Each structure stands twice: as C-alpha cells, then as structure tokens.
Amino acid sequence: MSANEKAMQNSTESQLAKMGYKSELPRRLSMLSVMGLSFAIMAVPFGLSTTMAYSLTNGQSVTVLWGWVFVSLISLAIAASLAEICSVYPTSGGVYYWSAMLATPKYRPITSWITGWLTLVGNWTVTTSINFSGGQLILSAITLWNEDFVPNTWQTVLMFWAVMLVAALVNIFMSRYLDQINKICMIWTSAAVIIILVTLLATADNRRSAEFVFTHYDASASGWAEGWSFFVGLLQGAYVLTGYGMVAAMCEEVQNPQIEVPRGIVLSVAFAGVTGVLYLIPILFTLPDVAMLLSVPSGQPIGLLFKTVTGSAGGGFGLLFLILGILFFAGVGSLTAASRCTYAFARDGAIPGSRIWSKVHKGLDVPLYGVVLSTVVCCLLGLIYFGSSAAFNSFTGVATICLGTSYAAPILVNVIRRRQAVKNAPYSLGKFGYAINIATIVWISISVVIFCMPMALPVAPDTMNYASVVFAGFTCISAGWYFIRGRKEFSGPPVVVDEGLEHVDDDASHVNEKKEEKVETTNN
C-alpha cells in the first residue's frame, strides 16, 4: 500500500470513528464495484422481464417505454438527493443513520427507528422478491419444451430456497471476490442486452411499427381509467429502480466512500436508465400477441416471448439464460446489501438479538450472522406462497414502498432543516437542491398510493394487491418492538459532533456518551 493510500485509509477510518463506529470490515471495494453492486441489485433486464405483466396490462408500449423513462428520471433525482447526504455521512447505516443525524435530538430516536425498519424490511422484501421471481423464471424455462408444465407450490418454493442458498454461500465464502463479481455483473449485463437486441431484431419474422413502439397505448386489459392505468403500470420500472440506495450499506467497505459511493449511486441509476431503453425497444419492436403473453400460467412471459420471436425453444432458452445470469448477480448483490443493512441496524441495538447479528466473522471478514438472518427471514417469507400467491406477489409492491419511503425520510428531514447539513457536502446539488429534494418527496408520496393498487380490475382474492396489508403488518411489528424495548433502550446511532454542522444540537455529546457505552457493550 502506497503512502497516499495509507493516508487516505487513515482519513477514512478517522471519519468513521468520528461518527461513532469502529472499522471492522475490510475496504476492498472501489467506486466501479459499488456501481456494479447497485446495478446488480437493480438487475435491469431481469427486473423488467419478471414484472413485464404490469406494464403490458396497463398501457403496453407507452407504459413500457415512456413509463420507464419517467421513472428513470425521477429515480435519478432521488439517487442524487441520497448521494448528497451520503457524502456527508458515509456509513453502513445508510438512510437510517442519515435520518438520525439530520433530525433534532427530540425526534432522533423515533425517526431513525422508523427509517431503519423501513430500510430493513425493504432490503429483506426486495431480496425475497428478486430471488423468488428468479426461481419462477428458472421453472418457466421448462415450459419452452413442455407448454403444459405448470410448477406446483412446493416446486416453486424449493427452487426459491435453492436460489437463496446459492446467494448465501457466495456471500459467506466468496466475500473477498465481491469486487470482481460486481464488475463482471456490468460486463455480463451489457453483453446480454446487446446480444438480445441483435438476436431479436435479426430473427423476428414480424416486426411492429415505430408508431406502435413509441405511441401505442391500450389499457383495456386493466379495467382502470386510461390515465390512472399508466401510473399503476409504473410499478414495473419503479420496482427495478429501487436498489441504488441499498448500496450505501457498503460504505465501510469502500476507500474514500464520501466521494466514491455517491458517484456509484448516481452513475448506476443513469447507466440503468440507458440500459433499460436499449433492452425494451427491441422487445417492443418484436412483441408477439400481448394476450398470449399475459395468459402464461407462471406469470413470467419473457421465455415465451424469446421462443416465439426466435422460432425455437433452444433459441428462447439461450436468451433466457442471459437473463438468468443476471439473476445470479442480483440475488447475490441484494443479499449482500440486506446483510450489511442488518449488521448496521443491529450494531445500534435496534433488532432483537442484536449482539449476535452485529458480529463480524474474523476469518471470513463478513457479518456472518447478518447474512444468515437475512437468508432465513427471506426463506420464511417465501412460505407465504403456500397460503396465497397474490399475497406473495405483493412483496414487489412492499419492497418498492418500503425502500421508497425510507429514501424519502432523510430527504424530507433535510429539507425541513433547511439543508444545513449538506451545505458543504463533497457531492453537492448546489442551488438545485431544494427543487430536486421536493420533487422526489412528492413523487414518493404519490407512489405509495399507486403501488398499493391491484394490477387490474375487477379484483378477486387471488388478484388483490396485499402490499398495504403486508406493509401494515411489518409496521405493527416495528411499532410493537419499539414500545416493548426501543423507547426504553434505543437512542439512535452515535451523533456527529462537528462545529461545521449547524444542525447538531447542544445535547449531542450527552447522546454520544450514552451510545458509546452501548456500542462498547455490543462489541464485547
């Protein structure tokens, strides 16, 4: 390690210590790796493929393409807002820690508690949703040769558990290679998009017109009013573009995180937006009969689309294999972020059994028990599929809502506190800060309502969107634990004491002393 690298590392460790934490994780990751991890979690071609039924039901081409463009732009604004705050507080606590630092002492514990649980549940449910839909997609490959095959509940859940197991094993035993894995993800995804684009356009016997691709709108299958149907269909893009904020949990594994992580967050969203457009346009130009695609029993029409366009089951599977490769990176990346989020939240005593979940395995250099807990929780959530497939499908909406609201929390507090904490941020939005922050808050507030809507009307028990019910359930668990233990023992994360930050209040040192005692106890 060079003298400059040592000086940078010492500065980074000093900054983390100033925020009240001891560095326990090796800093192996680069900005490109953070960008790759964020890109892996969003998994653009995979995510757009597994949720395609939403936009095809609610508007088709206009919703698929222009809905994606709209969500990409607003997500870029959210990512920039988070990146600005991250550059001031580069710690694994992410939005949970930021909410605490930006709030007043009176509201700091409850603000950080709510944000932390939203983030934790969002991480767990998005990991569950990614890997479960991946299991469904793997099983859907069988239908390329056997169209009558419909996987039963046990087959689907067991495949989901298998995907979770692979993701867990990679996170536990190959953590030292995460930097390379994240970089390979970007190469694989870029190559996959190019190959799919060229193959579809070259092999399609029938092509749609440019008018269909860019202007066709048909919401008749949804039952919603035409204008409202467009917004309901935005869940496809919003679900994909959620994971970028999760990579803040990797701050303590990155050199110079106050610069590299914010850059990685913003660039990954921009790259994802462009990738999505390049992936969706050839699909729309070669789109087969929509009614046929929506009638697929598995609810995953992308394999049938590839088979129909290429004219063979082998060709369809070849393209589907590229999407399944992206699933691997997405499954591993989402569990990585979820485990780090679990570790960071447990480190401050906010989860039952925190002493266990906050331990870092010295030999493996990973929060081993955080990985195990996240894996077990996701696998248990998969059992809901036995009771209701509709309830499980609602996890897509729950993940989007939880992560969206957790992102909104620190941004809202930052605006209320007149953006004092970020006035000298290394990654600053400058004079556009207020406008960008307010636009993101408005959109997230609206999206909470939109993504609780069922995909189509009329609604039956097996087609109902239970996102609001599942969201309320987790809220009750969080609130119950707060009143049982949190309000007595939880004071939030350590508080930054810095004369350059006007938002820090006079009693910060008192809270710090209390937190230092708790951190010391936890470490012991």
Side-chain angles (χ1 to χ4, degrees):
M1 184 182 293
S2 67
N4 288 338
E5 289 175 334
K6 287 182 178 179
M8 183 180 296
Q9 179 172 339
N10 291 335
S11 175
T12 301
E13 306 303 344
S14 176
Q15 184 180 18
L16 183 62
K18 186 178 179 181
M19 288 187 284
Y21 294 117
K22 176 185 177 182
S23 180
E24 297 183 282
L25 298 169
R27 295 185 180 273
R28 298 192 180 109
L29 305 183
S30 62
M31 186 277 287
L32 190 61
S33 180
V34 171
M35 183 177 171
L37 176 61
S38 177
F39 196 63
I41 296 172
M42 289 185 282
V44 177
F46 169 76
L48 289 175
S49 298
T50 56
T51 55
M52 188 171 292
Y54 278 94
S55 54
L56 290 180
T57 301
N58 289 277
Q60 298 182 25
S61 297
V62 168
T63 307
V64 171
L65 181 58
W66 299 116
W68 170 257
V69 172
F70 170 78
V71 172
S72 296
L73 292 175
I74 196 66
S75 296
L76 194 60
I78 299 172
S81 298
L82 295 178
E84 183 181 46
I85 302 173
C86 180
S87 69
V88 179
Y89 306 114
T91 175
S92 291
V95 292
Y96 147 72
Y97 186 92
W98 306 338
S99 295
M101 294 303 98
L102 295 168
T104 60
K106 179 180 179 180
Y107 296 104
R108 183 170 292 130
I110 188 63
T111 301
S112 57
W113 181 276
I114 292 172
T115 307
W117 274 95
L118 284 171
T119 306
L120 188 63
V121 173
N123 274 260
W124 284 343
T125 51
V126 80
T127 302
T128 303
S129 183
I130 287 172
N131 288 292
F132 196 93
S133 59
Q136 289 179 313
L137 199 61
I138 292 173
L139 291 173
S140 74
I142 299 175
T143 62
L144 296 178
W145 288 274
N146 182 5
E147 296 181 2
D148 297 326
F149 174 75
V150 179
N152 60 37
T153 304
W154 265 112
Q155 290 169 328
T156 303
V157 172
L158 287 175
M159 182 59 72
F160 161 60
W161 285 348
V163 174
M164 284 297 310
L165 179 61
V166 171
L169 291 176
V170 172
N171 268 280
I172 293 172
F173 297 108
M174 299 183 66
S175 62
R176 67 186 61 188
Y177 303 111
L178 288 178
D179 183 62
Q180 293 91 328
I181 290 173
N182 295 335
K183 292 175 181 176
I184 293 173
C185 168
M186 298 183 66
I187 298 173
W188 180 284
T189 303
S190 300
V193 170
I194 294 173
I195 293 171
I196 291 171
L197 184 154
V198 173
T199 303
L200 291 180
L201 294 178
T203 60
D205 293 328
N206 300 302
R207 293 184 180 85
R208 303 279 189 169
S209 65
E211 181 181 6
F212 175 88
V213 172
F214 296 104
T215 65
H216 177 73
Y217 185 79
D218 181 4
S220 59
S222 71
W224 292 108
E226 286 197 352
W228 182 250
S229 183
F230 171 81
F231 288 99
V232 174
L234 292 180
L235 180 59
Q236 179 191 28
Y239 166 67
V240 176
L241 293 172
T242 53
Y244 50 86
M246 294 168 63
V247 299
M250 308 303 294
C251 279
E252 293 173 32
E253 298 174 62
V254 179
Q255 290 288 356
N256 197 23
Q258 66 273 17
I259 297 297
E260 303 300 343
V261 176
R263 284 178 179 171
I265 291 173
V266 174
L267 289 176
S268 66
V269 175
F271 189 31
V274 174
T275 302
V277 171
L278 294 177
Y279 179 68
L280 291 172
I281 287 180
I283 283 181
L284 290 175
F285 267 113
T286 59
L287 191 70
D289 180 65
V290 174
M292 176 187 69
L293 295 177
L294 293 177
S295 66
V296 175
S298 65
Q300 300 292 343
I302 193 66
L304 177 59
L305 186 152
F306 288 156
K307 176 184 177 181
T308 303
V309 175
T310 60
S312 69
F317 179 76
L319 297 184
L320 186 62
F321 178 78
L322 296 174
I323 302 297
L324 293 177
I326 297 172
L327 158 66
F328 168 78
F329 297 110
V332 171
S334 60
L335 184 58
T336 301
S339 64
R340 300 318 189 264
C341 175
T342 303
Y343 157 77
F345 204 32
R347 184 171 56 181
D348 290 323
I351 304 175
S354 290
R355 289 190 180 185
I356 298 174
W357 317 128
S358 61
K359 288 183 178 180
V360 175
H361 191 283
K362 299 302 180 182
L364 297 171
D365 284 332
V366 303
L368 175 61
Y369 300 108
V371 175
V372 172
L373 177 62
S374 298
T375 303
V376 170
V377 169
C378 292
C379 289
L380 291 177
L381 289 174
L383 295 176
I384 293 177
Y385 194 71
F386 286 106
S388 171
S389 60
F392 180 81
N393 292 336
S394 297
F395 278 115
T396 301
V398 173
T400 307
I401 292 170
C402 284
L403 289 178
T405 50
S406 73
Y407 297 163
I411 298 173
L412 176 61
V413 177
N414 191 31
V415 170
I416 293 174
R417 301 299 299 276
R418 300 181 180 179
R419 293 176 44 83
Q420 287 295 316
V422 297
K423 64 179 182 180
N424 296 315
Y427 193 97
S428 176
L429 298 181
K431 61 182 180 180
F432 300 105
Y434 271 112
I436 293 175
N437 291 166
I438 292 172
T440 63
I441 294 168
V442 171
W443 162 247
I444 293 173
S445 300
I446 296 173
S447 68
V448 170
V449 177
I450 295 173
F451 301 144
C452 287
M453 299 293 106
M455 182 169 64
L457 297 177
V459 180
D462 60 342
T463 60
M464 178 62 186
N465 185 343
Y466 293 95
S468 58
V469 177
V470 178
F471 181 75
F474 278 117
T475 301
C476 290
I477 294 173
S478 171
W481 185 247
Y482 180 79
F483 283 103
I484 293 172
R485 296 286 297 274
R487 63 191 178 93
K488 300 176 182 178
E489 302 179 4
F490 182 76
S491 58
V495 180
V496 176
V497 179
D498 189 337
E499 295 177 357
L501 297 177
E502 297 179 5
H503 73 290
V504 176
D505 303 85
D506 294 336
D507 62 345
S509 59
H510 171 71
V511 179
N512 254 347
E513 291 174 2
K514 183 177 179 181
K515 282 302 302 177
E516 286 172 1
E517 294 176 2
K518 182 181 293 185
V519 171
E520 182 65 28
T521 301
T522 302
N523 290 337
N524 291 335

